[in-house]
């Protein structure tokens, strides 16, 4: 793992206490997601003052980096989706905005969702979103999906019609495939296109993937990453660890090029 992705060091006693409290809050939010049923109002989470402060600090830093390295589609969508900056937004606040923009809606998730179900939900314009916030000792890079990743990364991109349509196409493909190897390839292309995607704009690499857009550490280390040409044959052969910063990324020539290459791959599945 790159040094920029390391957690902030803390004294052991304090860290243990914080971890216990973090796990308690996380378990409560996972239970709410587990009990939720489609058609019911989305769960409302009681975020703490400390969590609101963490959200404000991290999103301020992310917003500054987005001005430098986020793709134009993301920057436009961020203005339209307009996430709250001073506190953690509720899914119930963001979901109607997405529905109006691109017909997508959010639904609560306990955490990581099995790939076939996670991707397949896109076909119905749905997105599984966790509601717990990342650990306070690692604010700038989370090894697991959290509400900051879901909203700052995925939800904003789902507010862009071009990327929303691409999410739906991934969902349709996930519903079609059944062979394990085909699903594995689909996950790899989704990861390197929609989670850690990079495109060139005006000759410079710009971030379009949700995992990068929600990670200060990933964006700050972009100039030290090995950027390879966006080729789905190479992508499906590239192994990755989604708990760490990426040492290798694939950059498309433009958003249009990324969309065309992904659609060509999905059609072949």
């Amino acid at each position: 793992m790159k040094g920029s992705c390391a957690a902030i060091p803390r004294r052991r006693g304090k860290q243990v206490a914080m971890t216990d409290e973090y796990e308690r809050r996380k378990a409560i939010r996972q239970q709410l997601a587990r009990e939720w049923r489609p058609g019911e109002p989305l769960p409302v989470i009681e975020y703490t003052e400390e969590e609101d402060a963490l959200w404000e600090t991290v999103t301020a830093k992310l917003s500054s980096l987005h001005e430098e390295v986020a793709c134009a589609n993301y920057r436009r969508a961020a203005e339209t989706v307009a996430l709250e900056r001073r506190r953690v937004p509720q899914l119930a606040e963001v979901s109607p905005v997405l529905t109006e923009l691109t017909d997508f809606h959010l639904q609560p998730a306990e955490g990581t969702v099995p790939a076939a179900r996670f991707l397949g939900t896109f076909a119905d314009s749905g997105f599984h979103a966790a509601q717990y916030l990342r650990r306070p000792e690692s604010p700038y890079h989370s090894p697991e999906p959290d509400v900051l990743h879901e909203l700052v990364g995925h939800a904003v991109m789902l507010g862009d019609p071009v990327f929303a349509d691409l999410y739906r196409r991934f969902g349709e493909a996930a519903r079609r495939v059944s062979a394990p190897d085909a699903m594995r390839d689909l996950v790899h292309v989704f990861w390197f296109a929609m989670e850690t995607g990079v495109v060139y704009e005006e000759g410079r690499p710009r971030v379009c993937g949700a995992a990068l857009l929600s990670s200060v550490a990933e964006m700050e280390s972009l100039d030290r990453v090995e950027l390879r040409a966006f080729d789905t044959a190479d992508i499906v052969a590239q192994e990755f660890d989604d708990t760490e910063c990426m040492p290798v990324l694939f950059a498309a020539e433009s958003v249009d090029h990324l969309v065309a290459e992904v659609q060509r791959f999905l059609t072949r599945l």
Side-chain angles (χ1 to χ4, degrees), residues 22 29 51 54-55 131-135 146-148:
Y22 173 86
R29 292 156 192 183
E51 288 176 309
L54 176 64
W55 172 276
Q131 292 183 277
Y132 50 83
L133 192 61
R134 61 191 53 184
R135 295 178 180 275
D146 74 324
V147 68
L148 196 152

Side-chain angles (χ1 to χ4, degrees), residues 5-258:
C5 286
I8 297 175
R10 300 196 182 262
R11 290 188 299 178
R12 182 172 178 78
K14 183 176 181 180
Q15 187 172 1
V16 169
M18 290 175 63
T19 297
D20 290 345
E21 177 61 18
Y22 173 86
E23 293 296 342
R24 184 188 69 81
R25 290 198 301 263
K26 179 179 177 181
I28 291 171
R29 292 156 192 183
Q30 288 177 313
Q31 180 68 21
L32 289 172
R34 190 158 50 245
E35 294 174 350
W36 179 84
R37 295 294 179 269
E40 296 178 350
L42 291 168
V44 174
I45 305 300
E46 296 182 4
Y47 294 105
T48 66
E49 291 183 3
E50 290 77 13
E51 288 176 309
D52 285 338
L54 176 64
W55 172 276
E56 183 176 20
T57 297
V58 177
T59 56
K61 179 66 172 175
L62 288 171
S63 180
S64 176
L65 287 167
H66 291 157
E67 290 299 317
E68 299 176 17
V69 300
C71 71
N73 291 62
Y74 180 86
R75 297 196 306 274
R76 287 193 298 268
E79 293 181 2
T80 306
V81 177
L83 294 175
E84 173 64 51
R85 294 288 183 82
R86 293 169 295 177
R87 60 171 175 80
V88 185
Q90 300 288 338
L91 298 191
E93 297 173 304
V94 181
S95 187
V97 177
L98 298 181
T99 301
E100 183 176 349
L101 291 171
T102 63
D103 203 36
F104 260 87
H105 62 276
L106 304 176
Q107 53 195 74
E110 289 185 55
T112 302
V113 178
R117 182 156 63 93
F118 177 70
L119 297 175
T121 303
F122 302 160
D124 300 321
S125 299
F127 186 87
H128 293 278
Q131 292 183 277
Y132 50 83
L133 192 61
R134 61 191 53 184
R135 295 178 180 275
E137 63 267 25
S138 184
Y140 292 146
H141 179 78
S142 177
E144 60 180 342
D146 74 324
V147 68
L148 196 152
H149 166 73
E150 313 286 39
L151 297 184
V152 174
H154 288 293
V156 172
M157 292 305 286
L158 288 170
D160 176 78
V162 173
F163 279 89
D165 182 66
L166 202 54
Y167 274 87
R168 268 187 285 268
R169 289 176 181 268
F170 269 103
E172 292 163 1
R175 294 274 177 87
R176 289 198 310 270
V177 303
S178 57
D181 287 349
M183 180 58 68
R184 175 199 172 277
D185 290 352
L186 185 63
V187 168
H188 274 235
V189 174
F190 181 83
W191 177 256
F192 284 108
M194 312 301 277
E195 292 281 8
T196 63
V198 178
V199 297
Y200 282 100
E201 292 179 344
E202 298 180 349
R204 298 177 61 186
R206 292 288 183 264
V207 172
C208 65
L212 303 184
L213 290 161
S214 58
S215 172
V216 170
E218 294 271 22
M219 286 190 288
E220 287 187 334
S221 62
L222 185 62
D223 61 349
R224 299 191 295 277
V225 170
E226 179 186 351
L227 286 179
R228 299 179 184 172
F230 192 91
D231 183 285
T232 56
D234 292 338
I235 285 172
V236 298
Q238 178 65 39
E239 297 298 333
F240 65 91
D241 180 350
D242 62 5
T243 66
E244 298 192 353
C245 290
M246 295 291 103
V248 174
L249 296 173
F250 293 87
E253 296 171 6
S254 64
V255 168
D256 288 345
H257 177 235
L258 181 142

